[in-house]
Each structure stands twice: as structure tokens, then as C-alpha cells.
């Protein structure tokens, strides 16, 4: 998975824990010294690895409810993904971005701050999704490149209106500070699950178009707003619903990764679509080959031929560390 030997990586993580306990000021220094880059480079596209799920208590992947519970394992997987120089950056909560900054893995990358983690997975207050992670002041302090906020809209849950008000205020603040903010909107509802209910997102084309329309109008200015949207049946209709730049989200690890890659490739050809934000599908692929999954995503986003195997893509693109 990574070219860093296990013993060496274990030593690196041991040092990271020592720094956190004894020299926490080095976190601030790591952010201050981070080598930054423009948000968009020559091809105008982005491939972002998402790692903000654990802070919402959403640790499950597929049938394993605790798949993301090991921070050491998550960091190993992120390090493997970031060995590919064409991965543009990482989306994470403060704990994850602080770890990566201390490890020197954010140099030359886009660092996207996750803002609202208060709507904990499975909680009765899940729709009242307050800002409990990064805020604009933290983004500015740590010289991060963008904020990201989830915007779930449940018309039957009064908590939704607080979420909309909270995110709208943050959109206005980010626009005033000239910092991009990435909104991830969904029309959501609760469905029975045993003695409780769970929140599910409506992935019909109509619902996604409606969510895009709502999110596009949040805040006092849309000048800094980007959208993060799921891939649905009629992506042309979704792309036509806004002029805001869009990134495609990856979702849970797919049982049909080839099908997921094909759907991403089709959507990436649409006007306004600027790239991918993918977490579990790249970090925890069904075959365990992080390098191969990342290489395939790189070829989709940054213009390499679509349709090859991960190994062929790695050979064509000269991706270091990729394997079949």
C-alpha cells in the first residue's frame, strides 16, 4: 500500500504522538511553514482525498462498522495516497490536518478544512448540524485553502433551518475573507432502522438538482462558493442547475469500483465539473490497493486515458508506487 516500511512508519507515528504531548506548538509551526500552492493549477482540475468521516462518528465502510477506527491505519492510507504527486490535496477535520501537517504531507497540497461535524451519525439532532470543527478564523490562522460544509435538508426536521442559517452565515464570512467554501448539499429524510431511525440522502436526480438550487443561494454572496455533489443518473441536469464550480463526491466504497470510475468519467466531462473529492473509495478500496485506486482517479481527473487497469494507468502516467 505504501512504500514507507511498516517499522519506519510506526516510528514516525510514535514521534508524532510525542510531539502532540510535549511540543504541541509544533502543530502551529507546521501549518505556518507549509508550502502552499494555487487552488487550481494548469488543467483547472482537483483530486481531493476526503478524510473527515471519523469526526462525525461515521467509521463504517460496507459491512464493517469500525473500518476507519484506527488512526494509524488511516494515516498510513493517506500517506500512500499522497505519494502520488498528482493528488491535489486533502479534506479533513483539525485532528487529521494537524497530523498530516506534522508529518509534512501537506506541503504543496490543497488543505480543505471540514467545518460542521456536530450532526453526529445516528443522533436525534443529526440535522442540527452546527459548526464544531474548523471555523473561518481557524482556516485563516492555519493558512488552509478552503472550507467545506455539509448541508443536509430534511423538510420534516426543524433542525434543518438552524443548519441552513449557520451555513449561510459561514458562506458570507468566507466570501468576505475571499476564501473558497465547498458546500455538500443533500435532500435527506429519516427511515426506520430497528427501534430507531437513520438519515438517508435522496439520490434521485430531482432531489440533487433541488439541493444544488438551495445551496447555491446560501449566504450574502456566492463569489467563493463551490459545490460537492453526488453522481446520479442524470448528471447533465445537475450540471445545468448552477454556474458554480462543482466537485464530485465518491461516497462509500462501491462493490462495483469499475462502474463508479465510469460514472465519474462521464460526469467529469460536463460543464462546471472540476474534479473529485473521494475518501473511502480510494483509501479503502475492495481489493486493498490504495495505490491503484488513486492512480485510476488521477487519470480520470488529470486527463490520462480512461478505461485502463490501475497498473496500466500507473505505467502510462509514471505514477510512483502504483501497483496492480
Amino acid at each position: 500500500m505504501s512504500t514507507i516500511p511498516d517499522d519506519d512508519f510506526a516510528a514516525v507515528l510514535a514521534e508524532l504522538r510525542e510531539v502532540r504531548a510535549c511540543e504541541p506548538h509544533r502543530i502551529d509551526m507546521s501549518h505556518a511553514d507549509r508550502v502552499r500552492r494555487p487552488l487550481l493549477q494548469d488543467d483547472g482540475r482537483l483530486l481531493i482525498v476526503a478524510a473527515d468521516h471519523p469526526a462525525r462518528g461515521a467509521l463504517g465502510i460496507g459491512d464493517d462498522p469500525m473500518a476507519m477506527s484506527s488512526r494509524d491505519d488511516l494515516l498510513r492510507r493517506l500517506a500512500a495516497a499522497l505519494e502520488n504527486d498528482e493528488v491535489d490535496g486533502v479534506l479533513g477535520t483539525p485532528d487529521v490536518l494537524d497530523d498530516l501537517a506534522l508529518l509534512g504531507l501537506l506541503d504543496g497540497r490543497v488543505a480543505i478544512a471540514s467545518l460542521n461535524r456536530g450532526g453526529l451519525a445516528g443522533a436525534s439532532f443529526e440535522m442540527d448540524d452546527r459548526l464544531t470543527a474548523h471555523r473561518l478564523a481557524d482556516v485563516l490562522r492555519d493558512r488552509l485553502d478552503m472550507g467545506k460544509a455539509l448541508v443536509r435538508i430534511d423538510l420534516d426536521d426543524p433542525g434543518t433551518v438552524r443548519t441552513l442559517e449557520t451555513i449561510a452565515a459561514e458562506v458570507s464570512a468566507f466570501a468576505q475573507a475571499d476564501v473558497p467554501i465547498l458546500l455538500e448539499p443533500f435532500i435527506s429524510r429519516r427511515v426506520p432502522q430497528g427501534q430507531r431511525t437513520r438519515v438517508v440522502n435522496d439520490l434521485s436526480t430531482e432531489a440533487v438538482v433541488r439541493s444544488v438550487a438551495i445551496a447555491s443561494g446560501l449566504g450574502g454572496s456566492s463569489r467563493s462558493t463551490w459545490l460537492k455533489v453526488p453522481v446520479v443518473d442524470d448528471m447533465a441536469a445537475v450540471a445545468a442547475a448552477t454556474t458554480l464550480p462543482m466537485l464530485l463526491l465518491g461516497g462509500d466504497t462501491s462493490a462495483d469500483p469499475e462502474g463508479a470510475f465510469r460514472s465519474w468519467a462521464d460526469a467529469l466531462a460536463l460543464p462546471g465539473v472540476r474534479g473529485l473529492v473521494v475518501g473511502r473509495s480510494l483509501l479503502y478500496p475492495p481489493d486493498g490497493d490504495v495505490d491503484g485506486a488513486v492512480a485510476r482517479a488521477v487519470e480520470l481527473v488529470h486527463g490520462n486515458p480512461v478505461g485502463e487497469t490501475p497498473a496500466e494507468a500507473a505505467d502510462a502516467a509514471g505514477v510512483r508506487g502504483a501497483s496492480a
Side-chain angles (χ1 to χ4, degrees):
M1 178 167 57
S2 171
T3 58
I4 303 174
D6 286 347
D7 289 347
D8 290 351
F9 204 85
V12 167
L13 293 179
E15 182 180 357
L16 185 151
R17 287 184 164 89
E18 187 71 13
V19 168
R20 279 191 169 278
C22 302
E23 301 178 87
H25 63 278
R26 285 177 55 182
I27 295 174
D28 297 334
M29 294 170 58
S30 296
H31 285 297
D33 293 340
R34 178 173 71 93
V35 177
R36 298 184 69 183
R37 50 157 274 182
L39 179 63
L40 295 176
Q41 302 206 107
D42 290 345
D43 67 358
R45 294 218 169 180
L46 289 171
L47 173 58
I48 303 296
V49 178
D52 60 340
H53 305 87
R56 197 181 289 281
L59 301 174
I61 298 173
D63 296 330
D64 184 353
M66 300 298 287
M68 297 184 72
S69 62
S70 168
R71 179 52 52 90
D72 286 13
D73 183 55
L74 175 60
L75 290 174
R76 289 173 189 271
R77 292 172 183 271
L78 284 167
L82 292 170
E83 285 183 2
N84 190 314
D85 293 336
E86 293 190 76
V87 172
D88 293 284
V90 178
L91 161 64
T93 43
D95 55 327
V96 173
L97 294 187
D98 289 349
D99 280 345
L100 294 177
L102 282 170
L103 294 172
L105 295 176
L106 292 181
D107 285 342
R109 312 284 184 167
V110 173
I112 302 180
S114 189
L115 306 179
N116 58 329
R117 300 286 92 185
L120 299 179
S124 62
F125 51 84
E126 191 166 347
M127 290 299 105
D128 187 351
D129 205 355
R130 309 182 188 194
L131 303 186
T132 56
H134 288 103
R135 293 175 179 262
L136 176 60
D138 307 312
V139 171
L140 296 174
R141 178 200 65 215
D142 290 341
R143 302 166 63 249
L144 305 177
D145 303 296
M146 181 183 270
K148 176 261 180 179
L150 184 61
V151 188
R152 289 176 296 182
I153 302 158
D154 183 347
L155 299 181
D156 294 320
D157 192 321
T160 291
V161 71
R162 180 184 174 104
T163 296
L164 291 174
E165 181 182 34
T166 299
I167 301 307
E170 209 66 12
V171 169
S172 297
F174 271 71
Q176 186 172 9
D178 198 23
V179 178
I181 184 168
L182 179 65
L183 302 185
E184 181 180 1
F186 289 102
I187 302 296
S188 305
R189 68 182 187 280
R190 291 186 181 273
V191 299
Q193 185 178 47
Q195 300 298 314
R196 308 187 64 183
T197 62
R198 66 184 179 93
V199 173
V200 298
N201 299 321
D202 187 341
L203 297 182
S204 67
T205 298
E206 179 181 342
V208 174
V209 167
R210 194 180 302 275
S211 72
V212 164
I214 293 169
S216 297
L218 290 176
S221 172
S222 64
R223 68 185 302 271
S224 294
T225 306
W226 288 53
L227 297 175
K228 179 186 176 194
V229 299
V231 177
V232 295
D233 289 341
D234 187 357
M235 284 305 295
V238 176
T242 184
T243 57
L244 300 179
M246 289 182 293
L247 298 173
L248 308 174
L249 67 90
D252 200 351
T253 298
S254 174
D256 179 19
E258 288 301 315
F261 279 111
R262 285 193 297 272
S263 66
W264 293 342
D266 291 341
L268 283 164
L270 293 169
V273 177
R274 291 282 178 167
L276 296 174
V277 181
V278 186
R280 291 164 290 184
S281 296
L282 298 187
L283 297 175
Y284 299 86
D287 63 0
D289 182 11
V290 174
D291 298 327
V294 169
R296 188 72 184 277
V298 161
E299 65 175 89
L300 290 182
V301 173
H302 289 301
N304 295 316
V306 175
E308 299 167 333
T309 67
E312 290 168 340
D315 290 340
V319 176
R320 178 168 53 90
S323 59

